[in-house]
């Protein structure tokens, strides 16, 4: 199990709960028409279902609370002269419904008050339409209300057009022309854009009031029907369809750049039934229900990707599926969605999708504000170009039994959103000219053996002393010109063998720490080679400062052959602590006039001879130490083999530890 991580999600354990047959809507005669439609639509009060009727077309409306076996004779909504192909409820009026039929007409209906399917009459009275919208020349396969504007209806027909109706006036205001039969359509959240799929395998995103597609791109390449659903307030569209190999696919599209789906098409399975997509804005989940199979799988949308959550499995296949608006779910049982599926064309089964929690209070984290029943604009305002998101409602008020309460403007304001336009590239920001940075000279010391513990402690003590001396110097009122960070002059011509005056100035500005350290050591030119080697052994590279190394580098670079310049720089830096003490002290006591005198070449040559002599002596010392280390190592190995049974194991360990300590001391 190592390396496996579970993605954090509040809806990871959502499960679908079926309903017992006694609580279903039984004894129905659902239409057997072959047109690709969902067959059923639902709102918090009613369910509509396409009815198998003779002598014309009809559909039935069932109150959502009247469950069980229904009467043999139901009050049907009659008026069409051909089978009803699709219906849709108004999002702002639960009693207002539109229907499209094979007769090429769109009818509008009003559910009577106190409507019920149970009646004492032998033959219940049918319900007649309140308005008829005539304009299509062929069958109307899809009807869909605008989710933001009131009384704006879209109808798709076999005449390759979509008409946008002003329901109040009963006239078509806009027409969207396609190249083939429209298979599905879906509105954006603010009702300004429309996405459609058609039989010519094209995906179109319409700016409906311009009556032209903003984007027209190839969709699913399969021959079977494809569906599209707008993902709420996102600028994304989800589509389902088939590949050329008849594999069911899922696609995610960016409406601003829909040349191809984000991440390519996701293969679902190889089932032949059309996949019906449903989007839930509250949980950010996409539900896919397939025709001809009994499964409903659901995905969570996150980071431009659909993450598979789970799947509701059933042995009963479905032909039609509808989902309830979020304001109609049972918030006391943590129900996040409710579906209605047709089974065997004889009854409708509700399926509740529940988040398993034991809490007995309102779960606000899984119930964000959702769309209410108040539109953002009227039909006239919408056709004039206005748009906006409808106000949200708080489901907590439904939990408390207070009815639908709109969310205040401070929490989720419903502001008008402009129509999407081509994104403008931001103008490049003008960069303000920055002052030039001061260059600080830094000399890189050569890499040597790591210092011992005592040397490191000495280095830390020296650093502390240096900072203390600087504080003292600051209190004495030194000028800023004595700073250890100074600019190095340009390198001079090596042919004249002269040293630039900046070297004396840098030597004069050497820190007092090195002067004090040099006075404590008091090395002279007559120092023995053993003392020089001891000083070299206890040297720490972090002791000298950058300003002290700079003059030595300048001197060496002007006098030594360039072939050996790197070696001379390294050794001059290492020997600084033992040779520059008296000289730097003497130069620091001189006045400003001393810096004007040019330096002499002879003392520098003698200084270099001293460095060479110390290097030779140090080489001999290191060779002797290496030989001594080899002897001690051999002695340790010999003693380990010579120690016999007369000595105890404890004596062996003590002797070995003693020899190892001596060996470690010799190495250090």
């Amino acid at each position: 199990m190592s390396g496996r991580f579970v993605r954090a999600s509040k809806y990871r354990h959502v499960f679908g709960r079926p309903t017992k047959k006694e609580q279903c809507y039984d004894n129905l005669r659902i239409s057997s028409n072959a047109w690709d439609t969902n067959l059923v639509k639902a709102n918090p009060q009613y369910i509509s279902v396409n009815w198998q009727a003779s002598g014309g077309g009809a559909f039935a409306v069932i109150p959502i609370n009247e469950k069980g076996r229904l009467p043999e004779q139901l009050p049907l909504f009659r008026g069409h002269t051909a089978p009803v192909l699709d219906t849709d409820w108004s999002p702002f009026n639960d009693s207002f419904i539109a229907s499209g039929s094979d007769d090429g007409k769109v009818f509008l209906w009003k559910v009577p008050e106190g409507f019920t399917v149970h009646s004492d009459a032998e033959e219940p009275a049918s319900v007649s339409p309140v308005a008829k919208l005539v304009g299509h020349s062929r069958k109307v396969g899809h009807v869909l209300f605008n989710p933001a504007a009131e009384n704006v209806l879209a109808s798709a027909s076999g005449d390759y057009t979509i008409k946008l109706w002003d329901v109040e006036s009963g006239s078509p205001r806009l027409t969207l022309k396609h190249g083939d039969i429209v298979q599905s359509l879906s509105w954006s959240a603010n009702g300004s854009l429309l996405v459609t799929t058609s039989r010519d395998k094209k995906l179109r995103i319409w700016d409906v009031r311009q009556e032209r597609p903003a984007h027209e791109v190839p969709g699913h390449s399969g021959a079977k029907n494809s569906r599209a659903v707008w993902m709420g307030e996102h600028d994304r569209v989800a589509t389902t369809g088939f590949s050329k190999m008849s594999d069911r696919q899922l696609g995610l599209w960016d409406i601003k750049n829909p040349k191809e789906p984000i991440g390519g098409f996701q293969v679902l399975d190889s089932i032949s039934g059309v996949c019906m997509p449903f989007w839930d804005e509250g949980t950010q989940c996409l539900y896919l229900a397939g025709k001809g199979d009994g499964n409903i799988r659901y995905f969570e949308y996150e980071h431009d990707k659909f993450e598979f959550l789970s799947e509701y499995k059933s042995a009963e296949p479905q032909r039609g599926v509808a989902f309830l608006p979020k304001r109609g779910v049972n918030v006391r049982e943590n129900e996040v969605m409710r579906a209605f599926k047709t089974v065997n064309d004889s009854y409708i089964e509700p399926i509740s999708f529940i988040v398993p929690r034991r809490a007995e209070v309102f779960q606000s984290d899984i119930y964000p504000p959702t769309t209410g029943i108040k539109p953002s604009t009227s039909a006239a305002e919408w056709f004039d170009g206005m748009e906006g998101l409808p106000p949200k409602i708080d489901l907590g008020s439904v939990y408390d039994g207070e009815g639908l309460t709109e969310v205040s403007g401070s929490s989720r304001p419903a502001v008008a959103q402009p129509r999407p336009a081509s994104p403008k590239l931001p103008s490049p920001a003008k960069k303000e000219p920055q002052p030039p940075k001061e260059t600080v000279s830094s000399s890189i010391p050569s890499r040597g053996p790591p210092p011992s513990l005592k040397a490191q402690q000495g280095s830390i003590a020296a650093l502390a002393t240096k900072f203390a001396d600087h504080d003292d110097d600051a209190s004495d009122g030194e000028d800023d010109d004595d700073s250890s960070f100074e600019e190095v002059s340009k390198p001079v011509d090596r042919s004249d063998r002269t040293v630039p005056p900046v070297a004396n100035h840098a030597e004069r500005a050497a820190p007092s720490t090195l002067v004090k350290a040099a006075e404590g050591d008091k090395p002279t030119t007559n120092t023995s080679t053993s003392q020089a080697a001891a000083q070299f052994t206890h040297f720490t590279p972090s002791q000298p400062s950058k300003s002290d190394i700079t003059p030595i580098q300048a001197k060496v670079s002007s006098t030594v052959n360039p072939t050996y310049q790197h070696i001379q720089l390294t050794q001059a830096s290492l020997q600084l602590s033992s040779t520059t003490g008296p000289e730097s002290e003497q130069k620091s006591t001189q006045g400003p006039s001393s810096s004007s005198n040019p330096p002499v070449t002879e003392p520098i040559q003698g200084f270099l001879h001293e460095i060479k002599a110390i290097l030779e002596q140090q080489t001999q010392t290191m060779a002797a130490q290496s030989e001594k280390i080899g002897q001690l190592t051999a002695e340790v190995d010999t003693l380990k083999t010579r120690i016999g049974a007369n000595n105890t194991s404890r004596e062996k360990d003590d002797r070995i530890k003693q020899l190892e300590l001596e060996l470690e001391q010799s190495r250090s």
Side-chain angles (χ1 to χ4, degrees):
M1 296 294 293
S2 60
R4 298 182 60 185
F5 299 93
V6 178
R7 188 181 60 88
S9 173
K10 294 177 289 188
Y11 310 104
R12 186 161 55 92
H13 300 290
V14 171
F15 67 95
R17 186 182 65 186
T19 305
K20 296 181 180 180
K21 185 68 177 293
E22 295 78 12
Q23 297 297 319
C24 296
Y25 306 91
D26 198 3
N27 195 25
L28 303 178
R29 290 187 292 275
I30 301 174
S31 174
S32 59
N33 191 281
W35 178 253
D36 182 22
T37 181
N38 292 350
L39 293 176
V40 293
K41 292 293 179 67
N43 67 19
Q45 294 187 19
Y46 302 103
I47 301 173
S48 66
V49 54
N50 297 353
W51 199 259
Q52 183 69 28
S54 58
F59 65 94
V61 172
I62 306 169
I64 202 167
N65 295 324
E66 298 184 7
K67 302 178 182 179
R69 186 174 180 84
L70 302 181
E72 293 292 335
Q73 298 291 332
L74 296 180
L76 299 179
F77 286 63
R78 296 180 180 274
H80 288 288
T81 58
V84 175
L85 301 181
D86 193 23
T87 58
D88 190 46
W89 293 98
S90 171
F92 311 113
N93 187 349
D94 290 341
S95 300
F96 193 63
I97 187 172
S99 65
S101 172
D102 206 350
D103 58 8
K105 297 180 176 61
V106 178
F107 288 178
L108 304 175
W109 314 77
K110 179 74 173 179
V111 180
E113 294 184 4
F115 179 79
T116 178
V117 295
H118 299 280
S119 176
D120 297 334
E122 295 182 0
E123 186 175 350
S126 300
V127 179
S128 300
V130 296
K132 299 179 182 180
L133 306 179
V134 180
H136 289 291
S137 59
R138 301 190 66 179
K139 63 180 178 182
V140 178
H142 302 280
V143 288
L144 188 64
F145 277 99
N146 190 299
E150 189 177 17
N151 295 329
V152 176
L153 178 67
S155 62
S157 171
D159 57 7
Y160 306 163
T161 64
I162 293 179
K163 291 187 180 295
L164 301 179
W165 304 83
D166 184 353
V167 173
E168 296 176 355
S169 62
S171 60
R173 300 285 298 273
L174 302 171
T175 302
L176 311 179
K177 297 181 180 180
H178 290 68
D180 211 326
I181 294 178
V182 177
Q183 296 174 341
S184 69
L185 65 159
S186 179
W187 288 98
S188 62
N190 62 358
S192 62
L193 301 176
L194 186 72
V195 59
T196 62
T197 61
S198 61
R199 200 165 57 182
D200 58 3
K201 304 176 185 178
K202 294 291 184 64
L203 177 71
R204 295 178 175 86
I205 299 173
W206 296 81
D207 187 352
V208 290
R209 282 167 292 197
Q210 301 297 326
E211 296 186 274
R212 59 181 178 84
H215 299 284
E216 181 176 341
V217 296
H220 297 270
S221 58
K224 298 181 181 179
N225 287 4
S226 61
R227 298 285 191 94
V229 62
W230 203 288
M231 296 171 56
E233 299 178 12
H234 295 287
D235 291 335
R236 299 290 185 269
V237 170
T239 61
T240 58
F242 293 84
S243 66
K244 291 183 178 179
M245 304 301 295
S246 296
D247 294 328
R248 287 203 294 195
Q249 295 176 331
L250 172 64
L252 175 65
W253 306 77
D254 182 1
I255 66 167
K256 297 180 180 178
N257 186 22
K259 294 182 180 179
E260 58 183 10
I262 300 174
F265 289 112
Q266 179 180 349
V267 177
L268 300 175
D269 49 41
S270 299
I271 302 178
S272 60
V274 176
C275 207
M276 299 174 283
F278 301 91
W279 172 254
D280 178 24
E281 180 68 18
T283 60
Q284 299 290 300
C285 291
L286 180 71
Y287 294 80
L288 301 181
K291 281 193 174 184
D293 60 88
N295 303 335
I296 300 177
R297 66 190 76 185
Y298 35 99
F299 302 79
E300 184 175 7
Y301 173 71
E302 188 177 24
H303 306 305
D304 268 348
K305 186 179 179 182
F306 288 118
E307 300 287 350
F308 178 74
L309 292 177
S310 186
E311 182 178 9
Y312 169 78
K313 296 183 179 181
S314 173
E316 301 293 342
Q318 67 241 359
R319 284 187 58 226
V321 175
F323 275 78
L324 194 68
K326 200 58 173 284
R327 54 189 173 89
V329 299
N330 190 347
V331 294
R332 293 189 173 274
E333 294 184 359
N334 297 332
E335 181 186 40
V336 292
M337 284 293 278
R338 187 188 306 173
F340 298 91
K341 59 177 286 188
T342 63
V343 181
N344 298 328
D345 291 342
S346 61
Y347 68 95
I348 296 177
E349 176 187 6
I351 302 171
S352 297
F353 293 91
I354 297 174
V355 177
R357 292 186 178 181
R358 292 184 177 274
E360 296 181 356
V361 295
F362 177 69
Q363 305 296 302
S364 59
D365 59 328
I366 61 175
Y367 291 113
T370 186
T371 304
I373 58 175
K374 183 178 179 181
S376 61
T377 60
S378 64
E381 292 173 342
W382 186 84
F383 281 108
D384 289 340
M386 293 184 62
E387 61 189 47
L389 292 173
K392 306 288 185 180
I393 60 171
D394 184 12
L395 292 177
S397 61
V398 179
Y399 183 90
D400 297 333
E402 300 175 358
L404 301 180
T405 304
E406 290 187 8
V407 177
S408 59
S410 59
S411 58
R412 284 288 297 270
V415 297
Q417 295 182 353
R419 272 176 276 171
S422 58
K424 297 182 180 179
L425 296 177
S427 58
K430 296 182 180 180
K431 296 184 179 180
E432 298 180 358
Q434 298 181 356
K437 297 183 179 179
E438 297 182 358
T439 57
V440 182
S441 61
S442 61
S443 55
I444 304 175
S446 62
R447 187 184 297 269
S452 62
L453 180 60
K454 294 182 180 180
Q456 292 179 358
Q457 293 177 353
S459 174
I460 296 174
L463 286 173
T465 307
K466 183 176 73 172
F467 284 105
D469 292 342
H470 277 294
D471 295 340
D472 296 338
D473 295 342
S475 63
D476 294 340
E478 290 186 356
D479 297 336
D480 294 340
D481 296 338
D482 294 335
S483 173
S484 60
F485 296 96
E486 296 182 0
E487 296 184 358
V488 180
S489 61
K490 297 182 179 180
V492 299
D493 188 7
R494 294 175 182 170
S495 59
D496 55 1
R497 300 290 183 177
T498 58
V499 181
V502 72
N504 283 338
H505 180 72
E507 290 178 1
R508 181 173 56 85
S512 60
T513 305
L514 298 178
V515 176
K516 293 180 181 179
E519 290 177 354
D521 295 338
K522 290 188 181 298
T524 61
T525 56
N526 298 327
T527 306
S528 62
T529 56
S530 61
Q531 293 177 352
Q535 292 175 2
F536 180 80
T537 304
H538 293 286
F539 171 73
T540 304
S542 60
Q543 290 176 357
S545 64
K546 298 178 181 178
S547 63
D548 301 316
I549 300 174
T550 302
I552 305 301
Q553 291 180 348
K555 293 177 182 179
V556 175
S557 63
S558 62
T559 57
V560 184
N561 193 324
T563 307
Y564 304 98
Q565 183 179 1
H566 180 69
I567 300 175
Q568 300 301 336
L569 285 172
T570 303
Q571 301 304 331
S573 301
L574 294 175
Q575 190 60 22
L576 179 64
S577 61
S578 61
T579 58
T580 60
E583 296 177 4
S584 61
E585 181 179 354
Q586 182 178 0
K587 292 180 180 180
S588 62
T589 56
Q590 296 177 359
S593 61
S594 62
S595 61
S596 62
N597 298 328
V600 199
T601 309
E602 295 179 358
I604 298 176
Q605 293 179 353
F607 179 73
L608 295 175
H609 287 308
E610 292 179 7
I611 293 177
K612 293 180 180 179
I614 292 173
L615 286 176
E616 293 176 359
Q617 181 63 29
Q618 183 64 25
T619 304
Q620 296 175 2
T621 304
M622 293 176 65
Q625 289 180 353
S626 300
E627 184 179 357
K628 182 64 175 178
I629 290 173
Q631 294 176 359
L632 289 175
T633 304
E635 184 180 355
V636 169
D637 296 337
T638 305
L639 290 176
K640 286 183 179 179
T641 55
R642 288 182 179 180
I643 294 175
N646 295 332
N647 296 332
T648 61
S649 60
R650 184 173 183 180
E651 293 176 353
K652 295 178 184 178
D653 296 339
D654 294 340
R655 181 57 179 165
I656 290 172
K657 289 180 180 179
Q658 182 179 0
L659 292 173
E660 289 177 350
L661 290 175
E662 293 178 1
L663 178 62
E664 184 66 20
Q665 292 177 359
S666 300
R667 288 180 177 175
S668 64

